[in-house]
Amino acid sequence: MKPVLCSEQIKKLETQWAEQHSGSTWSLMQQAAESFVALYASHWSNKNVTVVVGTGNNGGDGYYVAWLLQQQGAEVSVFAPFGMPDHTIDAQRAYELYCQTSAPILDQWPERTDIVIDALFGIGLNRALNDDAINLIEQINKANVEVFSIDLPSGLNAQTGVPMPVAIKADYTLSMIAYKPGLLTAYGPAYCGQLELATLGIESHSDSIFNDEWPQLIDKSGNSHKSLFGSVSVLGGNHKMAGAAVLAGHAALKAGAGRVMVHCDAHFQQVAISQAPELMVKVLGKSPLMVGENHALVVGPGLGRSVFSSGVLQEAILSAPQYGGVVDADGLRILANQMQKMTGWVLTPHAGEAAALLGITSQQVQADRVSAVKQIALKYQSVVVLKGAGTLVSNGTEVIFCHQGHGAMATPGMGDVLAGMVGAFLAQGRAPMDAAVSAVNWHAKLGCLIAKTQHSVFASDIIKLLALQPSD
């Protein structure tokens, strides 16, 4: 697990580092450039490299990278579309060093290049790009070349992961000192390509963490029986939406719950059993709920949004005040109208459901996903999983980033499977935050694994692999 830091925190660390090193960050810039060149060394050989630099210290990193490559005999040039760096910053020193070589500084885009190193804008970018910058970034994105970004893709907001309004689409990104929120959520995962980290020897701590670990599963060896592994009740499958509840229930079984009961419309009970005969079935809204320690509820998959559905959610909340469970899908839409605190529960909204919970638009949620997930967690006193590219998990104070996942997972039922997995971990005794993070990472990693051989990843594909022991 690694800390995730905002721009202000990074700048503070750099200032502290300078205070301990004669008041200068020059050697830190050298370390950053050296780390970048060393990591991607195998890519430079026999290639024409263009380093695109801005006027700030991110551009300084670029000048120093270009100098290093020139020393190693690479065919390198620098393109400085916005002029030379400010003479008061480290970038000026890197620029002067590069000027001592025979490598050129271009004032227009080169006729030929095989690789672009992006050192245009750094983590301090906080305003919309002008037309010249937009046109340049679009030109780079259209070029048929490999792109390597220093620290983060230029044009991407380091905090929110939103392009401003465009950003470099990198093949590789090396983040310096710590990961930034914008690399790990919203559009960040799609723009940064293969993401690596160089801490530059600086230790950092944060309430925001990047966690991509496989969950450690409960030991089922020895003298075990199903009652040791908890029970899950799925409340959903109303009217024509049985599939969602069945997926959630089946996923809970495969994720290790000892028993799973699906409360659904009576007409769909045979369907549930045919899909997974290990499931127990009950009539939604007419069968008493099992509650107690090591029993988790999953409310919402296929529940609908009727008065009846609202009553089902209310019964669940009142029946399990200490033990909680998961609210997903339609349950979240109902909850948005009730303003009910959900202490001990896990809420699993996508952007649209998150918007309903906050009374804002989904565009506003996506514009700052970190802020949105924390607001929901505080408002409902719950753990919140904000699904989407770069899923986030928060209890209102901590934010855990899951950079795993794949666009091929954007298929029906994925959220139902995730809800069932979270329910299974809760039933096995995990705390809500741990249950949510473990389920999110396992779900995402399996999706990535399947996406290597399939164009689309389906919810049932995830379920098939859930019985396997997670491993790297």
Side-chain angles (χ1 to χ4, degrees):
M1 296 188 288
K2 302 176 180 67
V4 180
L5 303 181
C6 67
S7 301
E8 290 74 17
Q9 291 171 311
I10 294 290
K11 291 175 182 177
K12 183 177 180 180
L13 285 175
E14 290 175 340
T15 300
Q16 292 173 346
W17 191 94
E19 291 171 351
Q20 299 167 4
H21 295 79
S22 304
S24 172
T25 54
W26 170 243
S27 61
L28 195 62
M29 177 175 285
Q30 291 176 299
Q31 286 184 57
E34 289 164 0
S35 297
F36 186 86
V37 171
L39 180 62
Y40 302 120
S42 62
H43 294 265
W44 314 134
S45 60
N46 301 317
K47 297 287 182 68
N48 184 301
V49 181
T50 300
V51 184
V52 186
V53 298
T55 59
N57 275 331
N58 193 249
D61 293 337
Y63 280 112
Y64 202 93
V65 164
W67 179 80
L68 288 172
L69 292 177
Q70 205 276 340
Q71 300 304 300
Q72 295 175 9
E75 186 180 356
V76 61
S77 59
V78 165
F79 176 39
F82 307 123
M84 301 303 105
D86 187 318
H87 71 280
T88 64
I89 60 177
D90 289 336
Q92 173 68 18
R93 190 170 176 179
Y95 161 72
E96 292 172 352
L97 186 66
Y98 175 77
C99 288
Q100 296 174 14
T101 73
S102 59
I105 297 179
L106 309 176
D107 57 6
Q108 59 184 0
W109 188 252
E111 293 183 4
R112 170 183 167 262
T113 188
D114 302 311
I115 287 175
V116 168
I117 295 176
D118 161 34
L120 269 174
F121 305 113
I123 61 175
L125 182 66
N126 57 11
R127 64 184 184 278
L129 300 174
N130 61 30
D131 289 343
D132 290 339
I134 290 172
N135 292 336
L136 174 59
I137 288 174
E138 289 179 339
Q139 180 179 12
I140 293 172
N141 287 341
K142 291 176 182 176
N144 186 27
V145 296
E146 281 190 302
V147 179
F148 296 75
S149 286
I150 300 176
D151 213 11
L152 84 165
S154 290
L156 191 72
N157 187 293
Q159 177 64 24
T160 66
V162 175
M164 304 182 68
V166 298
I168 293 286
K169 290 187 176 179
D171 297 288
Y172 305 89
T173 299
L174 179 60
S175 185
M176 303 298 180
I177 299 178
Y179 290 115
K180 289 77 183 176
L183 291 170
L184 302 173
T185 195
Y187 298 90
Y191 279 83
C192 69
Q194 184 175 316
L195 180 62
E196 303 285 350
L197 174 66
T199 66
L200 308 183
I202 296 178
E203 291 188 9
S204 57
H205 305 279
S206 174
D207 288 331
S208 298
I209 301 294
F210 173 42
N211 182 332
D212 64 345
E213 297 174 355
W214 284 104
Q216 293 297 313
L217 300 186
I218 191 170
D219 183 10
K220 289 196 171 186
S221 61
N223 185 18
S224 298
H225 53 87
K226 62 179 180 288
S227 296
L228 293 175
F229 310 120
S231 301
V232 175
S233 290
V234 178
L235 311 183
N238 198 14
H239 299 302
K240 298 180 180 180
M241 298 179 287
V246 174
L247 286 170
H250 200 180
L253 275 175
K254 285 294 191 74
R259 294 181 298 176
V260 178
M261 287 142 282
V262 173
H263 294 243
C264 63
D265 189 293
H267 294 91
F268 303 125
Q269 291 186 345
Q270 292 303 314
V271 173
I273 294 172
S274 68
Q275 293 298 308
E278 300 89 351
L279 291 172
M280 301 167 65
V281 292
K282 295 188 176 184
V283 179
L284 181 65
K286 296 184 179 180
S287 303
L289 298 179
M290 290 182 61
V291 293
E293 192 172 3
N294 297 332
H295 192 103
L297 303 179
V298 177
V299 189
L303 182 62
R305 305 180 199 174
S306 64
V307 173
F308 169 76
S309 303
S310 181
V312 170
L313 176 61
Q314 273 299 310
E315 181 187 3
I317 295 171
L318 294 173
S319 298
Q322 326 182 53
Y323 307 111
V326 185
V327 181
D328 184 47
D330 292 325
L332 294 166
R333 298 286 186 175
I334 298 169
L335 182 62
N337 295 320
Q338 294 184 349
M339 289 295 295
Q340 178 83 45
K341 290 185 177 180
M342 303 292 289
T343 304
W345 289 68
V346 178
L347 313 184
T348 56
H350 55 52
E353 293 156 349
L357 290 169
L358 290 175
I360 59 178
T361 66
S362 57
Q363 289 80 9
Q364 288 173 300
V365 170
Q366 291 295 80
D368 193 343
R369 286 169 55 83
V370 174
S371 176
V373 73
K374 292 172 73 173
Q375 287 181 52
I376 298 170
L378 292 171
K379 180 176 180 179
Y380 291 93
Q381 295 296 292
S382 61
V383 168
V384 178
V385 176
L386 180 54
K387 297 179 290 192
T391 293
L392 306 175
V393 184
S394 180
N395 57 10
T397 302
E398 298 175 278
V399 179
I400 307 298
F401 291 75
C402 173
H403 184 61
Q404 301 293 322
H406 196 284
M409 297 172 69
T411 55
M414 277 292 171
D416 304 313
V417 169
L418 179 61
M421 294 171 65
V422 177
F425 282 137
L426 289 170
Q428 292 171 69
R430 294 186 186 232
M433 192 76 169
D434 182 30
V437 171
S438 296
V440 166
N441 280 339
W442 194 6
H443 183 266
K445 282 177 174 285
L446 289 178
C448 286
L449 182 65
I450 298 166
K452 292 180 179 180
T453 57
Q454 295 181 196
H455 180 261
S456 295
V457 180
F458 297 102
S460 54
D461 296 329
I462 300 289
I463 291 173
K464 289 175 185 176
L465 293 186
L466 278 175
L468 301 178
Q469 174 75 27
S471 66
D472 291 317

